[in-house]
Amino acid sequence: MWNPDEFLEQLYDRQTYVHAFKANTEAEWSEWRTALQARLIQALVLPQRDVVPLNPVCLERVDCGDYIREHIELTTDHFLKMPCYVLLPKQVKTQAGEGSAGTTPAIVACPGHGYGYKQLIGLMPDGSVREDEPGIYKDYPIELVKRGFIVIVPELLGLGDRRLMQDQDKEPNANSCFRLSTNLLMAGKTLAGYRVHEMMCCVDYVLSLREVAPERIGCMGFSGGGNVMALTAAVDERIRAAVISGFTNTYRDSILAKPHCSDNYIPDLLNIAEMPDIWGLIAPRPLLIESGQADLGFPIAGAIKALHHLKSIYHVLQAEDQLEEDIHPGKHEVSGAIAYDWLQRHLSAG
């Protein structure tokens, strides 16, 4: 047979995983974590921070009944501007007094593939209010703002309103990930790295709000958004609790087993570590994993393997109670059955 299947199997089996987790003590964990985090930042080719000011601009402010929705624009790099929706609970004043301490928790809510940030907050691609069911995202940012969180929902580079001009007239779920990722790779950069950088800009923005408690920043992401938020939480310790939905797995069982979007692939990553090792950089901070038993893109067997490995990392730190799971009966979709209350518990005052 001339097919290259065995070649790929051997390619995976021969990976060195230089920074696979093998620690048995907290001191060994600390050494492992420092080395892996540095290699991950290098692999992502993270853009330099604070090159340009955020220059936030409010484009629109809408009263949505239970909350206020602001449409803002942030500058994230030269020639790059990112629109976001910011959902503000009505019980939180939008302008706190001078010198007052913020007490409100905030969440960065990251979309995955689809028609972008509007899909998460009950809007159609044209910005009109959606009348039908919320779909796989379950409008989870709205669920969070109703529980008292300030929620920032960024538009990912390559999706929705941030597609290349050549893709603007395509159907709403089409994206520009392939051309962006390949062009960035040719320039020695990665799309994942730019997206992580922009999520860090979102953290910068919410920390600039006087209402926000700096020690109460969390994140939640689904599918590709789960990948981006996990990578961000792995390198940005300002994120104190993370919900990763519809992505956690092993690379072997998920994005290397079947076709996935080009934005998932980061050069040399397999020589460094497997997915649960990288997610393990979040430890000992609170981490909740949502996985659907019928998710075909991220099979439950791979998710269970990843969870088992993550538990070994949290065990070494005696932080087993900080890692939780929601293995739900659904397909590739947000659950939320545990997540909303879990975030409240870990990001509440006191």
Side-chain angles (χ1 to χ4, degrees):
M1 297 292 291
W2 294 337
N3 62 66
D5 296 67
E6 185 176 357
F7 169 77
L8 279 186
E9 286 296 316
Q10 291 299 315
L11 184 67
Y12 185 95
D13 289 338
R14 290 198 302 269
Q15 296 305 314
T16 53
Y17 305 108
V18 174
H19 296 292
F21 181 78
K22 300 174 184 176
N24 294 303
T25 67
E26 188 168 340
E28 291 174 348
W29 163 82
S30 181
E31 183 179 353
W32 163 82
R33 187 180 187 279
T34 299
L36 175 54
Q37 190 177 70
R39 284 295 301 274
L40 176 61
I41 290 171
Q42 184 181 41
L44 288 169
V45 199
L46 277 181
Q48 185 177 342
R49 300 273 293 141
D50 303 319
V51 171
V52 296
L54 287 177
N55 288 331
V57 177
C58 186
L59 307 172
E60 180 186 48
R61 198 165 190 271
V62 178
D63 188 330
C64 296
D66 295 325
Y67 60 93
I68 301 295
R69 185 183 72 227
E70 292 185 344
H71 196 195
I72 67 166
E73 174 190 276
L74 302 177
T75 300
T76 60
D77 204 345
H78 297 295
F79 311 108
L80 268 184
K81 295 183 185 295
M82 175 175 63
C84 309
Y85 285 106
V86 180
L87 311 184
L88 302 161
K90 278 195 170 179
Q91 63 268 31
V92 176
K93 295 180 180 179
T94 56
Q95 292 294 329
E98 187 69 28
S100 61
T103 59
T104 306
I107 299 291
V108 182
C110 188
H113 292 98
Y115 61 82
Y117 61 165
K118 294 172 185 172
Q119 189 171 359
L120 277 64
I121 60 168
L123 298 179
M124 297 297 289
D126 63 1
S128 61
V129 175
R130 188 183 62 234
E131 301 294 343
D132 59 359
E133 294 299 314
I136 61 175
Y137 285 99
K138 311 287 177 67
D139 288 347
Y140 76 83
I142 295 176
E143 296 294 332
L144 291 170
V145 72
K146 288 180 177 179
R147 286 165 170 80
F149 291 94
I150 290 175
V151 187
I152 183 168
V153 188
E155 184 72 298
L156 274 191
L157 188 59
L159 303 184
D161 288 345
R162 300 186 75 199
R163 293 181 292 181
L164 294 166
M165 289 297 295
Q166 68 187 49
D167 299 321
Q168 290 291 321
D169 294 331
K170 294 181 180 178
E171 61 94 13
N173 287 323
N175 61 66
S176 297
C177 296
F178 181 79
R179 186 178 170 203
L180 281 167
S181 60
T182 53
N183 278 242
L184 283 165
L185 287 173
M186 290 289 281
K189 305 176 188 298
T190 71
L191 182 53
Y194 267 90
R195 287 175 171 174
V196 168
H197 164 74
E198 291 193 327
M199 297 308 103
M200 295 171 77
C201 290
C202 289
V203 177
D204 294 338
Y205 177 73
V206 296
L207 286 173
S208 75
L209 303 178
R210 291 176 181 169
E211 305 83 11
V212 171
E215 72 283 1
R216 298 170 65 193
I217 307 296
C219 71
M220 182 168 176
F222 169 70
S223 192
N227 183 37
V228 173
M229 287 303 358
L231 293 171
T232 305
V235 300
D236 191 341
E237 295 183 34
R238 297 176 300 176
I239 295 175
R240 302 302 178 90
V243 176
I244 308 303
S245 179
F247 197 93
T248 302
N249 220 272
T250 69
Y251 291 125
R252 184 174 201 168
D253 291 312
S254 57
I255 68 167
L256 294 180
K258 56 188 68 180
H260 281 266
C261 182
S262 57
D263 60 6
N264 289 292
Y265 304 96
I266 301 168
D268 202 38
L269 197 57
L270 275 187
N271 284 319
I272 300 170
E274 247 286 5
M275 190 190 303
D277 293 308
I278 294 168
W279 271 220
L281 292 173
I282 299 171
R285 288 168 288 160
L287 173 62
L288 171 64
I289 303 299
E290 286 190 353
S291 294
Q293 292 178 338
D295 189 334
L296 299 180
F298 299 90
I300 193 62
I304 297 300
K305 290 179 193 175
L307 276 164
H308 180 75
H309 192 68
L310 281 165
K311 287 175 182 177
S312 70
I313 298 173
Y314 276 79
H315 174 75
V316 166
L317 299 172
Q318 298 182 356
E320 294 96 332
D321 60 338
Q322 300 293 81
L323 174 66
E324 295 191 41
E325 62 194 70
D326 178 7
I327 306 299
H328 59 88
K331 298 180 181 179
H332 189 56
E333 59 188 303
V334 167
S335 167
I338 296 173
Y340 312 137
D341 293 338
W342 183 90
L343 283 167
Q344 279 191 306
R345 174 158 48 91
H346 284 287
L347 297 175
S348 61

